[in-house]
Amino acid sequence: MSKGNVRARVVKVQAPSSQTKQIYVDEFSGMYGDIISPPYNLKELKKVSEHSTILQQCMEAYKTNIVGFGFQPEYTFDYNGEDVQEDIRQQADSEWVRLEEFVQYLNFDDSAEAVLGHAIEDREATGNGFVEIIRDGRGLPAGIEYADAQFIRVCQKTVPEQVTVVVLEGGKPTPTTRWRRFRKYAQQINGQTVYFKEYGDPRILNLKTGKFDDSTPEHLQATEFIHLKVGSGTYGVPRWIGHLVHLYGARKAEELNFLYFKQGRHTPAAVTVENGLLSEDSYDALQEYMNDIEGVENAHKFLVIEAEGHATESTSTDGREDEKITPVKVQIKSLADMLQQDALFLEYDEKSRNKLRSAFRLPPLYTGESQDYNKATSDTARKITEEQVFQPQREGLARRLNTLFMPDLELSKVRLKLDGPDFHDPLEIATVLAPYITAGAVSPNDLRDSAGEVLGKTLEEWPEEIYNRPLSQAQASQQPNPLEGILKADKNGESELVSLLKDMRDVLEGLTNGKSE
């Protein structure tokens, strides 16, 4: 018994290779030693957000909620305290104006919040953010500039250097000395390397050679960097680095779904040829059809398939051998039941978004996904995120800027504060305060701040002492005391007291007679 041969060929689209052909060039190659190599490719980390559908939103949420509400000076003491001397208030007012001007002119091309926002975005993308500090002719910090983290490398710590720092002793600024080790930083763009020193390093650094040299000309003296990083290592590490594989997986799922809609289904049908072979011309035509199947212009094309039957020899009755062609049967069977419907990996993509948000500890509300929220749940999510994420971030950044800048600026009565969102509802506050006002437990000056929020402006406290007490007590103190006249008369002698009592008797008798009539 003869056995038939079965042969199958898959006709598929000639897709390009999925492997990158780019060559990664590290500009610092050959310079590592004093310069420390980063644990991850900083350029790749900077571009990862371009391949994610959620990472950029998370970084924008951090940038907006940390520095987006702006800087605001605040006093380091109770300005309205009774024991505060007037000269201290005048000094604080002067420092307040100086600090406002310092923040206003930190950058002439953009706001200080925008420059720091770029550095924070770099910190969340690569784990590292850098801000360049520029000093004026007096050696005081006067400006900041953004520095792109992907072109910067961290150097080894230098030898210890003795520096002077200002600390508070008994509430008064007191200079003291300490030993500290600083770092250098190297930036390379287009083959040119420039060195920077860490903020607070008193030594003079040559920006071309990276050497400390007191004889360096002024135009070659390096400026300073403030390094904002995630973690305590030499380089910061992105908080989402553990989800990198899942992030790229979500990207591949998106590409697969895109190709599905662009090029059609994978193996949408099987062409079976029975008792014959597909001709080479038909195979080439089928291959060309599959390569050109993408696009709406190919939505309604006809496909003609030609097949050739097998030639067999048979002996006729007269002894001659005739060639006989077997009948060919061509069938096209649909494989639609085995194919994906609309899109694959939707659940995988949703889980990927949730994982990346959890790395930033953000609810969906902060990434534009608020369809499942109402006022109560959204207020709760905002308050928890503010308490657990953004407020500590703002306080940490403000504390570091104050530690670095305030001693150099010789400001001790004021400091920088990063503003945050206002969750207070004036209507709710008025409802809560109503029983306290009725009970006389709140003074008018206590309500000035709330009234200012409703009116949209700042209201100063009234200086009179009467406005520091509840209204009921203030009004009671202004009413005349009926016994006050008697007490005064008693002090002036008995005759005046008797006369006063007689007058009161006459008044009472007159009232009584009037009622009887």
Side-chain angles (χ1 to χ4, degrees), residues 330-473:
V330 179
Q331 293 181 342
I332 300 179
K333 296 183 178 181
S334 174
L335 301 179
D337 297 337
M338 303 171 56
L339 301 177
Q340 68 185 76
Q341 300 296 325
D342 292 334
L344 288 175
F345 310 115
L346 293 179
E347 184 178 355
Y348 180 85
D349 181 67
E350 181 66 23
K351 290 184 179 295
S352 176
R353 296 175 69 88
N354 292 337
K355 287 183 177 180
L356 278 172
R357 272 197 307 267
S358 69
F360 288 87
R361 295 191 297 164
L362 293 176
L365 181 68
Y366 283 88
T367 57
E369 301 163 291
S370 57
Q371 61 270 19
D372 296 330
Y373 281 87
N374 54 37
K375 186 178 186 302
T377 57
S378 63
D379 287 346
T380 302
R382 290 173 59 203
K383 290 179 180 179
I384 293 177
T385 308
E386 175 68 17
E387 294 173 357
Q388 298 295 320
V389 181
F390 295 131
Q391 184 175 349
Q393 290 279 346
R394 282 194 295 267
E395 291 179 353
L397 179 59
R399 189 181 302 112
R400 185 173 183 190
L401 294 178
N402 286 323
T403 302
L404 296 176
F405 288 151
M406 297 304 106
D408 289 346
L409 297 173
E410 298 181 351
L411 301 178
S412 60
K413 306 303 180 184
V414 293
R415 61 191 174 198
L416 282 174
K417 176 187 176 183
L418 281 167
D419 283 340
D422 185 8
F423 293 103
H424 299 97
D425 187 349
L427 296 178
E428 293 181 358
I429 294 176
T431 304
V432 173
L433 289 178
Y436 295 97
I437 297 174
T438 304
V442 181
S443 68
N445 278 338
D446 294 334
L447 304 175
R448 297 289 286 174
D449 291 338
S450 298
E453 293 178 3
V454 176
L455 298 176
K457 59 182 180 180
T458 302
L459 299 179
E460 299 292 340
E461 293 184 357
W462 287 314
E464 292 79 3
E465 180 62 26
I466 189 175
Y467 298 111
N468 291 324
R469 292 180 294 170
L471 289 175
S472 58
Q473 297 181 9

Side-chain angles (χ1 to χ4, degrees), residues 92-351:
D93 292 338
S94 175
E95 292 186 2
W96 183 287
V97 175
R98 286 179 54 199
L99 187 57
E100 282 185 330
E101 294 174 349
F102 170 73
V103 174
Q104 182 178 0
Y105 300 110
L106 273 176
N107 190 283
F108 289 98
D109 298 324
D110 215 335
S111 64
E113 294 84 2
V115 175
L116 282 174
H118 297 324
I120 289 177
E121 190 172 6
D122 272 1
R123 186 193 69 176
E124 299 306 320
T126 66
N128 304 272
F130 294 92
V131 178
E132 180 188 6
I133 309 301
I134 302 173
R135 295 181 182 266
D136 58 15
R138 299 171 297 172
L140 302 179
I144 60 175
E145 294 287 344
Y146 162 70
D148 198 338
Q150 62 180 322
F151 303 115
I152 298 173
R153 299 294 185 269
V154 181
C155 300
Q156 301 281 356
K157 287 187 176 182
T158 60
V159 296
E161 181 73 13
Q162 190 174 22
V163 296
T164 301
V165 295
V166 179
V167 297
L168 292 177
E169 291 185 0
K172 297 182 179 180
T174 304
T176 184
T177 58
R178 56 170 290 196
W179 291 92
R180 182 180 173 188
R181 300 180 65 187
F182 293 93
R183 290 189 185 273
K184 296 184 298 182
Y185 302 93
Q187 180 190 58
Q188 188 173 110
I189 300 178
N190 297 329
Q192 296 184 357
T193 304
V194 177
Y195 289 89
F196 300 84
K197 60 181 182 178
E198 187 176 353
Y199 184 85
D201 193 338
R203 296 168 293 181
I204 297 177
L205 177 68
N206 190 306
L207 60 85
K208 293 293 185 181
T209 64
K211 304 295 183 181
F212 292 101
D213 186 0
D214 293 339
S215 62
T216 303
E218 185 176 356
H219 68 283
L220 292 179
Q221 293 180 8
T223 54
E224 297 161 280
F225 267 172
I226 293 179
H227 186 189
L228 308 176
K229 59 184 178 180
V230 180
S232 58
T234 302
Y235 286 93
V237 177
R239 63 185 80 246
W240 50 267
I241 196 66
H243 304 277
L244 184 63
V245 175
H246 215 281
L247 187 149
Y248 278 120
R251 172 69 179 188
K252 290 300 181 182
E254 294 284 349
E255 293 177 356
L256 177 61
N257 288 326
F258 170 73
L259 293 176
Y260 167 73
F261 289 107
K262 183 174 183 291
Q263 296 180 338
R265 300 174 174 180
H266 300 283
T267 320
V271 179
T272 61
V273 180
E274 186 177 348
N275 294 328
L277 294 173
L278 193 66
S279 66
E280 291 297 329
D281 293 339
S282 295
Y283 178 80
D284 294 340
L286 187 60
Q287 178 69 66
E288 182 180 358
Y289 170 77
M290 292 301 298
N291 289 337
D292 297 335
I293 198 172
E294 64 181 70
V296 295
E297 66 276 5
N298 295 299
H300 300 286
K301 282 190 174 182
F302 292 98
L303 177 64
V304 179
I305 298 177
E306 298 178 354
E308 299 175 353
H310 289 292
T312 59
E313 295 181 355
S314 61
T315 303
S316 60
T317 55
D318 56 1
R320 292 181 305 173
E321 293 184 355
D322 298 331
E323 187 178 43
K324 183 179 180 181
I325 305 298
T326 58
V328 179
K329 185 178 181 181
V330 179
Q331 293 181 342
I332 300 179
K333 296 183 178 181
S334 174
L335 301 179
D337 297 337
M338 303 171 56
L339 301 177
Q340 68 185 76
Q341 300 296 325
D342 292 334
L344 288 175
F345 310 115
L346 293 179
E347 184 178 355
Y348 180 85
D349 181 67
E350 181 66 23
K351 290 184 179 295

